[in-house]
Amino acid sequence: MAVFNKVDFDNHEQVVFCSDKESGLKAIIAVHNTKLGPAVGGCRMWDYTTDEDAVTDALRLSKGMTYKNAVARLPFGGGKSVIIGNAKEIKSEQLFRAFGRQLERLSGSYYSAEDVNITCDDVAIMNKETNYVLGLEGKSGNPSPFTAYGTFLGIKAALQHQRGHQDLAGIKVAVQGLGAVAYGLCKHLHEAGATLFVTDINEQAVERVVNDFNATAVGIDEIYDLDVDVYAPCALGATVNDTTIPRLKATIIAGCANNQLAESRHGEIIREKGILYAPDYVINAGGIINVYYETAPEGYSAEASTKHVEGIFDTLTEIFARSEKEQKSTHLIADELALEIIENGL
């Protein structure tokens, strides 16, 4: 596996392969860029089919964090880590302590936090071996509610730009994936009057949202074909691709998943189809914004964090306007904005 020759390698500063025989830990830490500050990004646990898939995920996600942190105006660089394995089978205190020791060896170039299949409790175990973790209970805590709120505001920003109003009453939203963030998003949408169509491989998660928010459950593959206003991808990435784009009837794509576009060219394809895309790392930045306030000199403030998250609406509004003016896809405009901030500072 030649990392330097991979399409997703983008002059990453560090790519670290970690293992621990006693705990069974196999992990990859990718530090993309630290110009604005130490790299910060969550750790996810996933049962990757191949080690190469895990490397690709780490490379793509860490670059995304560089851009996400910059556009969110945070003094952080971008990094990400992945632990390889089935979360239902391999989680143990020994494993997370081993991973914490690996973080410690990086001496603060990378700070980890929770992500897919990693909880605040898991991060607390890492914290027994290192201080280079964020998102701890008793400090900023669970970032999911802030990510959900930011995503909700992003949908409102898209509606405002495309339709001239933010009223969600009667707006039909297809939510793909019903994890903690998506559940919070569904709550906001339901309370605002939206009609929900939902799917997930976890039947219990589907039942919960159906019961709590009067949502309609649909099949995993059926989600792309629905006659809805908004498609909200909230599971893993690359669901906007050559196969799904022709099936989409939604005129807005806005969800909390990372790496929603399978390839960059898909951003231009959907723009030409009249679909407004809220770039993933912009709309889903609420969690990392909340984590930042754990490091604030004056101490954590949920009020200050929430106010910062509300800026996602304004950032997306700027991106949508620039996209329309320059006739360029929104994800490229977001990248340009991120690079401007990285080059010129916050």
Side-chain angles (χ1 to χ4, degrees), residues 134-166:
L134 297 170
L136 296 165
E137 290 290 353
K139 295 185 179 179
S140 67
N142 183 3
S144 296
F146 295 86
T147 308
Y149 183 50
T151 305
F152 171 67
L153 293 175
I155 291 174
K156 294 184 73 172
L159 280 171
Q160 179 65 48
H161 179 81
Q162 189 181 75
R163 306 189 183 190
H165 68 81
Q166 302 175 35

Side-chain angles (χ1 to χ4, degrees), residues 36-206:
L36 293 179
V40 178
C43 173
R44 69 172 43 182
M45 182 178 286
W46 195 256
D47 196 9
Y48 295 96
T49 303
T50 67
D51 292 349
E52 188 166 4
D53 288 344
V55 172
T56 297
D57 214 21
L59 292 175
R60 292 191 72 183
L61 291 166
S62 58
K63 179 181 177 180
M65 288 306 304
T66 296
Y67 285 41
K68 176 187 289 191
N69 291 335
V71 172
R73 272 79 173 183
L74 299 175
F76 291 156
K80 205 78 172 183
S81 52
V82 299
I83 296 175
I84 300 170
N86 188 324
K88 295 180 180 178
E89 297 175 0
I90 71 166
K91 279 193 175 187
S92 69
E93 177 162 351
Q94 190 179 23
L95 182 139
F96 288 119
R97 293 190 75 140
F99 185 69
R101 292 192 292 274
Q102 297 287 350
L103 295 176
E104 184 68 20
R105 289 180 180 138
L106 294 180
S107 302
S109 64
Y110 167 68
Y111 284 71
S112 191
E114 64 91 31
D115 195 14
V116 177
N117 289 325
I118 299 291
T119 68
C120 292
D121 289 340
D122 300 329
V123 176
I125 297 173
M126 300 175 197
N127 189 219
K128 293 179 180 180
E129 301 287 345
T130 183
N131 288 323
Y132 300 129
V133 290
L134 297 170
L136 296 165
E137 290 290 353
K139 295 185 179 179
S140 67
N142 183 3
S144 296
F146 295 86
T147 308
Y149 183 50
T151 305
F152 171 67
L153 293 175
I155 291 174
K156 294 184 73 172
L159 280 171
Q160 179 65 48
H161 179 81
Q162 189 181 75
R163 306 189 183 190
H165 68 81
Q166 302 175 35
D167 186 5
L168 278 150
I171 295 294
K172 293 178 286 186
V173 184
V175 182
Q176 178 189 52
L178 298 171
V181 175
Y183 180 86
L185 173 62
C186 287
K187 185 175 187 294
H188 286 298
L189 291 169
H190 173 68
E191 290 174 350
T195 301
L196 301 176
F197 300 85
V198 300
T199 193
D200 194 288
I201 57 174
N202 184 334
E203 292 183 4
Q204 289 182 325
V206 173

